[in-house]
Amino acid sequence: MSLTLSDVKRIAHLAQLEMPEERAAAALAQLNGIFALAEQMQAVDTDGVAPLSHPLAAHMDNIALRLREDLATEPNRRAAYQAVAPKIQDGLYLVPKVIE
């Protein structure tokens, strides 16, 4: 898959970016390079290759992941944060309805 200059300009327009012609040409080359690399990676035969839990798992048999205990370490500051809110109810922020 490769992009054209009009594709890059359309993407920039959708992202609401102002992109001069020379910058669009540079972005086109970079994006096409990324797509070419992705196509190369997809062409590699990975049948029979098991997924790894860690990048070094293929070379080291017993990698122990360092895990921390799942404990709350920060104090509950809900009341302090909501004290400055314009409207709250039952611990929730009330905001104006924006979607009908």
Side-chain angles (χ1 to χ4, degrees):
M1 173 184 177
S2 63
L3 296 175
T4 63
L5 192 57
S6 63
D7 292 331
V8 173
K9 288 181 179 180
R10 182 172 180 269
I11 292 168
H13 174 72
L14 291 173
Q16 297 184 356
L17 298 174
E18 186 176 327
M19 187 173 285
E21 190 77 23
E22 61 276 357
R23 183 66 188 123
L28 174 64
Q30 289 176 339
L31 289 170
N32 280 335
I34 292 169
F35 288 140
L37 180 62
E39 287 175 1
Q40 272 185 323
M41 292 172 65
Q42 286 180 341
V44 174
D45 181 22
T46 58
D47 290 339
V49 178
L52 300 175
S53 61
H54 189 279
L56 297 177
H59 303 289
M60 301 171 79
D61 292 334
N62 55 354
I63 293 181
L65 298 178
R66 294 178 294 199
L67 301 176
R68 62 174 173 80
E69 291 192 32
D70 191 15
L71 299 173
T73 58
E74 295 294 321
N76 184 356
R77 296 186 182 140
R78 178 190 290 186
Y81 293 148
Q82 290 185 343
V84 296
K87 294 182 183 178
I88 59 168
Q89 178 182 353
D90 300 326
L92 302 174
Y93 295 95
L94 299 177
V95 296
K97 185 175 182 178
V98 293
I99 300 175
E100 296 296 324

